[in-house]
Structures are given as C-alpha cells and as structure tokens.
C-alpha cells in the first residue's frame, strides 16, 4: 500500500477516477476542483444522458482516436469498458446499449455516473475540496513538491493534472492544466476545436436553410475550394478517422453518411461534427469545402431517370412541387437556384440539360468553409500535452518526476460514441494508480 501524498487537480471524469484509485491504493489524496461541484461536463454529456463508453472491440476503439490511439493501449489494458461497467454496477448503476454500440446509464441520467464517482472517492477516503483553483505546481530538483492555490499550499509527492481541455469553459475547463504543464517545460500541441459546427462562406444561402435537419445525407469534405471539387471523386462509402482501412486520397478529407442541420452561419449535426477537426486542420493550410449528396441512396443516372419519369407523369405541375417530394421545400428552392432552373417552369417543359443539372445539384450541394465555430463551442479539445513527453505505461511525465496527466488535457480526442469519456476514465484510473505507487 502507498503512503504517498497525491494531489489531483481537476474533478472531472478523469480526475475523480484518478483520485479514487490513488486513494484505493492507500495514498493520502486531495482532489482540488475549482467549480462549486465536480463532474460538470459529465453532467451535460450525451445530452445529459452520458454516453460513457462503447461496445466496439479494443482495436476498433483505438482506431477512433486516430494516430495517437496506440498511446492508450496500456491504460485500456488496466481499466477498460468491462471494469468501468463493473464499477458502475457495484454502486447500483446498470447500463444499456443504443444503436452504434453507445452505452448509457439505464436511467438515462448522467447524474447517476457523477454520483458513483463521488461515492467511489468517498468510500476510499479521498478528500474533495471544491471551489479551489490550482494555480501552480512546485518542483524541487525536477521532482514534485507542492501544489499552490490562491490561499493554500498543498505539499505533494505526486500531482495528477486532470484539468481537461478548453471547450465549454462554463464547466470549468479553461486550459489551466496545459498552461501549468507548459510552465514545467512540457510541449503543448496546439489546442483546436473538435466536434464543432462549421461556418460557411455562403452565409446567406445556409441562413435561408436554417433549422432544416436532414437525416440521411452523404457529406464529403475536401481540402480545396468548392469550385475545385471533382464530383467523380465523391466516394459512395464512408472514409476518414475511425473507419478502418479506407484512407481518403487528398484533396478528399472525409466522407460520411449521417445527419446534418443547417444553422444561421453554416452547418452542424452528427456528420459535420465528426469531420470538423479534419476540416479545421485542412483550413490551417488552405481552403476547405463541403459537398452534400442529398439523395445518397440513388446514383446520379438513376436519379436523373427518376426525375424524368416524374416529370413525364406530372408534366403540368411546377418543377419545384415535384422536387419537394424528394427534399424539403427550402432545399428544393436552393437546388433549383443552383441548377439555374426556374421553380415555376412546368415539369413537362424541363429540358434534358436542365434535368441533368437538377440531378447534379441534388447530388452535390456545395459550400466553402470559412472556419469552425470557436473552441468554447466544441464538444472536445484536440491537442494538449504532447504524448512524446508522457510514459504511456504510467502516464507519468518524462520531464518532471511525480507529475501525471490524464483525460482531455492529453493530446487525445475521438469521435462521438463514448470514446472520449472512456479515455478519460481509463487514463484517470492508470494515472491515479501510478501516482500512488510512485517510488
Ligand atoms: C456538451 C458535451 C457533451 C459530451 N458528450 C459526451 C458523451 O456523451 N460521451 C463522451 O465520451 N464524451 C462526451 N463529451 C466529452 C467528454 O465529456 C470529455 O472528453 C470528458 O468529460 C473529459 O474529462 P476530463 O476529466 O479530462 O476533463 P473535464 O471534464 O473538462 O474536467 C476537468 C475538471 O478540471 C477542473 N479544473 C480546470 N482547471 C482547474 C484548476 N486550475 N484547478 C482545479 N480544477 C480545475 C474543471 O472545473 C473540471 O471539473 C462531451 C463534451 C461536451 C462538452
């Protein structure tokens, strides 16, 4: 059993597990949380239902974190989905699985997960101090010596930094940990928004479609301007991060089938969020654009034939009325505008060239991306403490003896589906255990 003094900075998913586990290993643990209560981000996660993990296989899981995923193997070997579910069940919380393998508490309440984490802390004797911001970490000869807050100094043998990223600052995550790690010599990989809505240059056009939600479109992003998109390079299958084996060829960035919603300034929704980080990275070096296939179930030839047959059958109707049977009214108007076809032309009078343009417009609605929405609106922060300076087997800093990292402040992020929380829980567990066992 440990006799170490461990201070954990940050009471989110990662910090609470770290503190509980270090205490379980016998360390004397103080968890310092700057907000008035811990776990604020867990409480709003999954629309307050908390998608806490996923049923994907270990290798599938790892692929969800992109190139940095392999760093997580040792943490997942120590504490993965089964251990997490076992911990929850020990405190009376059962779970259920939704399509896509997403795991939620059966009650549908994120609150239950926070309650378990607090009970786990309490039961193992970790001391939780809320309303207390960690300002600085003190070292002596490259070893941890203490943690400073505004009014106190906490002597420590080990410190676990678990202060999260810098998105949703109202939950307490404001990038403090990265600043403290940098002050101790750590490299911080640029913090970027991930899982964030996109702002398009054609603001008026997107604004006119605001509020329209499309369930089953194919969204493809490109590292070039909308004008330069080559429609023949739009794949009919998903490709991108976490989608095994299908690496997109530049300028293609990602392609996914899924939901999209038009906003006042651009686009959001599941398919958009999933590719937003890759788009943000592309924007760092040049233009980026989107193509929306509004009817991905039909090939372009099939669609053109379908339009022809509808136009033949209903020759006296306005062409817009017929398109409105395929897509929402305001989208139909946009498609007609892009195809250069007057909405009140009678279907029977649509020329072969116009029909071709309409089917093309339905398969390829384009937007130039101006930027992402700010990091404060991102569900996850990409970037953080460089993994090259952290030992994946213990999560200890390679620069400062006794300093450990876990959760979103590490340079790790993933798609939606429960992967971010599982990474926070697993790294929290490993960091806490390692800190308690520090020699
Ligand atoms: C709206 C939303 C929904 C989400 N839904 C899901 C989901 O369903 N599934 C999923 O897997 N992921 C989801 N995520 C992401 C997931 O919630 C995070 O990746 C995860 O909570 C990160 O945990 P963490 O402990 O590393 O950091 P955080 O949860 O950010 O916790 C950090 C803690 O440190 C505290 N802190 C910060 N600085 C200091 C300081 N100087 N001193 C003391 N304390 C400090 C903060 O107050 C905070 O409590 C969602 C995120 C958002 C924003």
């Amino acid at each position: 059993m440990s006799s170490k003094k461990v201070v954990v900075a940050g009471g989110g998913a990662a910090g609470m597990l770290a503190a509980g586990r270090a205490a379980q290993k016998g360390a004397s643990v103080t968890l310092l949380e700057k907000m008035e209560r811990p776990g604020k981000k867990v409480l709003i996660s999954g629309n307050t239902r908390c998608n806490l993990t996923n049923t994907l296989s270990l290798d599938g899981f790892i692929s969800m974190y992109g190139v940095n995923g392999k760093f997580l193997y040792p943490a997942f070997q120590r504490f993965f989905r089964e251990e997490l579910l076992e911990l929850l069940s020990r405190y009376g919380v059962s779970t259920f699985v939704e399509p896509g393998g997403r795991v939620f508490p059966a009650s549908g309440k994120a609150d239950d997960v926070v309650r378990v984490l607090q009970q786990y802390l309490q039961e193992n004797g970790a001391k939780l101090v809320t309303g207390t911001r960690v300002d600085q970490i003190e070292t002596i000869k490259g070893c941890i010596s203490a943690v400073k807050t505004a009014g106190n100094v906490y002597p420590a043998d080990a410190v676990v930094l678990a202060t999260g990223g810098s998105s949703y600052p109202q939950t307490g995550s404001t990038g403090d940990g990265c600043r403290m790690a940098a002050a101790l010599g750590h490299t911080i990989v640029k913090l970027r928004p991930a899982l964030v809505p996109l702002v398009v240059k054609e603001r008026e056009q997107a604004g006119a479609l605001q509020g329209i939600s499309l369930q089953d479109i194919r969204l493809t992003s490109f590292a070039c301007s909308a004008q330069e998109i080559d429609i023949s390079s739009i794949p009919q299958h998903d490709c991108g991060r976490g989608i095994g084996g299908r690496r997109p060829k530049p300028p293609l960035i990602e392609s996914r089938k899924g939901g999209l919603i038009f906003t006042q300034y651009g686009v959001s929704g599941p398919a958009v969020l999933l590719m937003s980080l890759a788009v943000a990275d592309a924007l760092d070096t040049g233009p980026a654009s989107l193509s929306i296939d509004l009817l991905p179930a039909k090939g372009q030839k099939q669609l053109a034939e379908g339009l022809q047959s509808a136009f033949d059958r209903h020759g006296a109707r306005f062409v817009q009325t017929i398109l409105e049977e395929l897509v929402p009214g305001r989208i139909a108007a946009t498609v007609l505008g892009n195809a250069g076809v007057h909405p009140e032309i009678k279907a029977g009078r649509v020329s072969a060239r116009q029909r071709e343009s309409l089917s093309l417009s339905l398969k390829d609605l384009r937007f130039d991306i101006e930027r992402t929405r700010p990091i404060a609106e991102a569900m996850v922060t990409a970037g953080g403490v460089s993994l090259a300076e952290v030992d994946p087997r213990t999560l200890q800093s390679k620069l400062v003896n006794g300093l450990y990292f876990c959760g979103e402040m590490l340079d790790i992020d993933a798609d939606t589906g429960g992967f971010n929380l599982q990474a926070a829980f697993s790294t929290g567990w490993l960091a806490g255990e390692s800190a308690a066992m520090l020699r």
Side-chain angles (χ1 to χ4, degrees):
M1 288 297 260
S2 167
S3 56
K4 300 290 176 195
K5 274 199 196 76
V6 175
V7 176
V8 179
M16 283 201 272
L17 259 202
R21 182 59 179 158
Q24 196 176 21
K25 282 281 173 189
S28 157
V29 180
T30 308
L31 170 57
L32 303 174
E33 165 55 49
K34 78 171 172 196
M35 304 302 276
E36 73 290 354
R37 63 169 295 179
K40 284 199 136 191
K41 198 169 270 180
V42 178
L43 286 175
I44 60 163
S45 67
N47 279 328
T48 72
R49 290 165 61 232
C50 187
N51 174 198
L52 46 99
T53 186
N54 196 286
T55 56
L56 213 58
S57 69
L58 177 60
D59 286 340
F61 231 99
I62 292 284
S63 76
M64 287 295 169
Y65 305 87
V67 288
N68 285 348
K70 286 192 178 123
F71 179 89
L72 289 170
Y73 268 120
F76 284 167
Q77 268 150 9
R78 284 300 295 135
F79 185 89
F80 193 46
R81 174 180 55 234
E82 286 68 29
E83 290 77 12
L84 175 63
L85 299 188
E86 211 271 313
L87 180 75
L88 290 168
S89 135
R90 209 187 314 152
Y91 292 97
V93 173
S94 56
T95 51
F96 80 101
V97 181
E98 277 198 354
R102 294 163 187 252
V103 182
F104 294 84
S107 62
K109 289 186 185 150
D111 203 21
D112 281 351
V113 177
V114 177
R115 177 181 54 75
V116 167
L117 296 173
Q118 282 187 274
Q119 271 179 266
Y120 179 58
L121 285 177
Q122 247 170 20
E123 192 173 273
N124 290 292
K127 187 173 162 206
L128 170 65
V129 185
T130 54
T132 303
R133 194 185 71 207
V134 173
D135 286 332
Q136 204 182 325
I137 294 164
E138 304 271 283
T139 60
I140 297 174
K141 293 187 183 158
C143 296
I144 288 293
S145 62
V147 162
K148 270 192 178 167
T149 64
N152 242 321
V153 177
Y154 294 82
D157 301 305
V159 168
V160 179
L161 270 180
T163 54
S166 49
S167 44
Y168 276 66
Q170 65 274 29
T171 64
S173 335
T174 50
D176 297 3
C178 285
R179 283 190 286 277
M180 289 186 266
L184 293 168
H186 273 277
T187 308
I188 305 300
V189 176
K190 186 179 163 198
L191 303 185
R192 288 118 61 221
L195 303 179
V196 71
L198 298 173
V199 179
V200 301
K201 287 189 180 159
E202 301 82 353
R203 207 93 91 241
E204 214 174 298
Q205 191 178 354
L209 303 176
Q210 183 179 356
I212 295 178
S213 168
L214 302 168
Q215 293 312 316
D216 208 12
I217 50 91
R218 171 164 295 287
L219 183 68
T220 306
S221 50
F222 290 89
C224 64
S225 72
Q227 229 186 357
E228 293 166 318
I229 291 176
D230 168 11
I231 185 171
S232 68
S233 66
I234 296 177
Q236 293 312 303
H237 55 257
D238 288 2
C239 56
R241 180 160 88 166
I243 303 162
R246 297 183 191 258
R247 291 208 170 274
K249 267 202 208 127
L252 182 63
I253 302 174
E254 280 195 32
S255 187
R256 292 179 188 263
K257 241 170 126 180
L260 175 145
I261 182 162
F262 287 96
T263 65
Q264 184 189 354
Y265 43 76
V267 284
S268 187
V272 173
L273 297 181
L274 288 174
M275 65 179 68
S276 59
L277 175 61
V279 170
D281 286 346
L283 281 170
D284 276 350
T285 54
S289 52
L290 290 179
S291 163
I292 305 169
D293 180 348
L294 296 162
L295 299 167
K298 291 191 172 74
Q300 203 200 318
K301 191 160 165 269
Q302 200 190 356
L303 181 60
E305 285 167 3
L307 284 179
Q308 180 60 59
S309 115
F311 294 167
D312 289 345
R313 272 181 287 128
H314 308 290
R317 285 200 201 163
F318 288 140
V319 65
Q320 167 137 6
T321 316
I322 294 179
L323 285 195
E324 284 175 5
E325 286 172 11
L326 298 174
V327 290
R330 280 182 284 156
I331 301 254
T334 300
V335 166
L336 284 161
N338 289 353
V341 176
H342 195 282
E344 292 190 352
I345 191 174
K346 294 280 168 61
R349 298 183 61 100
V350 173
S351 69
R353 199 185 49 76
Q354 286 175 318
R355 192 184 61 234
E356 206 58 27
S357 303
L358 283 173
S359 63
L360 248 178
S361 289
L362 285 162
K363 296 293 286 176
D364 183 21
L365 176 59
R366 297 181 188 188
F367 291 96
D368 274 303
I369 307 299
E370 186 179 295
R371 57 187 162 83
T372 68
R373 293 291 297 166
I375 198 163
E377 292 176 29
M379 275 168 73
V380 178
T381 304
V385 173
S386 167
L387 303 183
E389 295 162 359
V390 182
D391 182 345
R393 293 162 306 173
T394 57
L395 299 179
Q396 183 171 203
S397 158
K398 291 180 183 172
L399 312 182
V400 180
N401 196 38
L403 178 63
Y404 296 81
F405 300 104
C406 55
E408 207 175 301
M409 63 169 304
L410 286 163
D411 179 20
I412 283 174
D413 68 277
D415 286 356
T416 52
F419 306 104
N420 288 295
L421 276 172
Q422 180 69 60
F425 292 131
S426 297
T427 54
W429 181 274
L430 178 58
E433 181 168 279
S434 310
M437 305 313 279
L438 168 73
R439 298 226 176 111

